[in-house]
Every structure is written in C-alpha cells, then in structure tokens.
Amino acid sequence: MTIADIIRILNAQIICGEDHLDTELHSACGADMMSDVLAFVKDQSVLLTGLVNPQVVRTADMMDMRCIVFVRGKEPDDMVVDLAKEREIVLLKTPLRMFTACGLLYESGLRGGCEK
Amino acid sequence: MEAIKVHYDVPGDDFTRAGEASGMLKRYLKKIGFAPDVIRKVSIAMYEAEINMVIHAHGGEIDGEITPEKISVTLRDQGPGIPDVDLAMQEGYSTAPDNVRSLGFGAGMGLPNIKKYTDEMKIETVLGKGTTVYFSVNAQ
C-alpha cells in the first residue's frame, strides 16, 4: 500500500509531504498514547492518532515511521507541520474516526505488524 | 579510536521542545553510520528519558559518549528525585500530571521502556537533589 492509497481509502487530505506519495507502507499503529507507541510498536510505518502536538511527530521520528494520519478531522498547527517537513514525515488528515480509519486500512491489507 | 562526546542542554519550561536533543543525537548517529536498530534503541531510550526530565525535573543536561562498540548516554537533572525507584520501574506506574497525559505521555512506560531498549541502565537519585539516568546500547 502506498501513501496515495491511504489518501484514497480514508478520503484523506495531504497536509505535507506531497513528494512521497509513492512510499510503500506495510504496517500501521493506531494510538493516542505516545508512551504506548514507544513501548509496543515495531517496524510500523504509519501512525494513526487523534493527537496533534509536536510530540506526535517526534515519536514517529524516533520510531522511523513515514506517515502520520490525524483522525477525527484534527488539524495540526504550523509548528507541527514544519517539524514534520524537517523530519520528512508525511502528514494526512481524515474526517473518519480512529476505529473506522483503522478498520478500512486493515480491510485493504495493511496490518498491525506486531501480532504475537 | 577516541570516543566522540556530545552534550545537550534540555530546557524545562517547554514541553513542545522535549525530544529535540534525542532528535539531534538520532540524526548524528545516522550520519556516522550506525545500524538502524541500534539508532532506534538509543533514540527511544533517550527520548523517554528526555521527556521525563522535562515533565518531572524542569529539564537538565545530557552527555553522550559514542564509540564503535557502544553508545552511552547520561542524563542529569536537579529535580525532586525519585522516592521509590523500584516502584517507578514498574510498568503503568506514573506520577505525571494530567496535562502531560493529554499530550500522550504519562502511561508509566518511560523507565521500563528505557530498560527494555538498552543493554545497561542505572538510576542514581537523591530526594530533593536530582536524578541521574545512565544507559548504554551495544553497537556490535
């Protein structure tokens, strides 16, 4: 699945990172608790979240994630967008809620990546 | 080869900037050419510790020592200290205030996470004086 596919599936808008639409992504994680992302995530490339503070971008950066999807129509401010551009992380936003967004991506073949 | 030393000051008044030092070290380790999994372990551990420093101790100082064999990081703060280190090391135990939780932290995973991702970890803490967290990650 590419970032362009995610935009289509989630009816999402791109906030920044237009140059990376072809980036291939294989797994994702949905969380509003960044502590959990840091504790449990392994090799996921997409983060779905309802939080829009800079720590979301920093967390994704530490985990080598390539794309953040803000759910529930959340809109990050300029500081967050600038940080994402600097770290080359694609930002998307979708009006969908977390459960629906995760479900649609799962249905389309994206997986959690850390099933034990 | 002599160890490379790095130093970062962490301001304690701005949570939005917490993690800047970790980001800088991460990019530096990448530039030097360490393996991605080594870099990720160091980055996560340092980020957790840096966040703790800002949440609980009004910032502090971070010193790193880099050799081809291992990466060591020492974080010193002059915060309140940790009353019960064993308790603080338990997953899920947190004393973080609600405003920090609303930003996605304070799940009580910080210190356990540092231990999980590193090869060595030490905490020295004195109540009312401050805390020093040391960890290292083997690179080979």
Side-chain angles (χ1 to χ4, degrees):
Chain A
M1 187 179 294
T2 63
I3 291 178
D5 292 329
I6 293 186
I7 293 174
R8 182 176 47 78
I9 295 162
L10 298 183
N11 188 23
Q13 279 178 281
I14 188 154
I15 300 168
C16 70
E18 289 84 353
D19 297 342
H20 303 286
L21 292 180
D22 296 335
T23 301
E24 281 281 344
L25 308 163
H26 301 286
S27 60
C29 155
D32 283 349
M33 194 44 117
M34 294 303 111
S35 301
D36 284 345
V37 176
L38 291 163
F40 299 114
V41 168
K42 196 173 183 288
D43 290 327
Q44 278 88 341
S45 39
V46 186
L47 172 63
L48 294 99
T49 185
L51 285 186
V52 286
N53 63 67
Q55 299 310 335
V56 174
V57 177
R58 293 192 201 281
T59 300
D61 184 37
M62 295 304 153
M63 307 305 289
D64 300 313
M65 295 172 132
R66 306 307 331 144
C67 176
I68 299 169
V69 181
F70 297 113
V71 298
R72 306 192 285 274
K74 294 290 176 76
E75 191 99 35
D77 65 19
D78 290 346
M79 186 196 170
V80 174
V81 176
D82 289 344
L83 189 62
K85 283 179 184 165
E86 188 191 309
R87 305 295 162 91
E88 295 186 18
I89 293 172
V90 178
L91 298 185
L92 307 179
K93 61 172 178 177
T94 174
L96 299 174
R97 294 182 187 189
M98 176 75 97
F99 181 79
T100 311
C102 291
L104 288 172
L105 292 179
Y106 192 91
E107 197 179 56
S108 303
L110 207 59
R111 288 293 177 262
C114 57
E115 284 86 1
K116 284 178 183 169
Chain B
M1 194 186 118
E2 232 177 273
I4 300 169
K5 295 192 174 170
V6 291
H7 178 86
Y8 307 98
D9 290 313
V10 178
D13 51 354
D14 186 359
F15 186 73
T16 60
R17 287 179 62 192
E20 262 182 19
S22 306
M24 279 191 262
L25 182 65
K26 180 178 175 162
R27 288 192 291 284
Y28 185 57
L29 294 175
K30 202 170 165 185
K31 202 168 116 191
I32 300 178
F34 280 99
D37 63 318
V38 172
I39 296 176
R40 193 187 293 181
K41 285 181 194 169
V42 175
S43 303
I44 295 170
M46 179 162 157
Y47 183 49
E48 290 278 21
E50 190 181 345
I51 293 268
N52 273 346
M53 204 174 223
V54 176
I55 294 175
H56 298 290
H58 314 294
E61 294 183 3
I62 305 176
D63 285 287
E65 204 174 293
I66 304 160
T67 69
E69 293 78 35
K70 77 172 180 182
I71 297 144
S72 314
V73 179
T74 306
L75 302 99
R76 286 186 195 85
D77 69 54
Q78 298 184 333
I82 305 170
D84 186 337
V85 175
D86 289 338
L87 189 59
M89 286 301 298
Q90 280 180 22
E91 287 189 10
Y93 179 80
S94 173
T95 58
D98 283 348
N99 65 326
V100 168
R101 286 172 212 263
S102 69
L103 292 168
F105 290 88
M109 297 303 290
L111 291 176
N113 232 0
I114 297 171
K115 192 172 176 60
K116 177 175 157 187
Y117 286 106
T118 59
D119 294 297
E120 196 189 353
M121 177 193 183
K122 275 185 287 199
I123 300 176
E124 284 167 21
T125 186
V126 180
L127 282 183
K129 296 265 185 198
T131 300
T132 298
V133 175
Y134 165 89
F135 68 80
S136 67
V137 173
N138 296 335
Q140 288 172 348

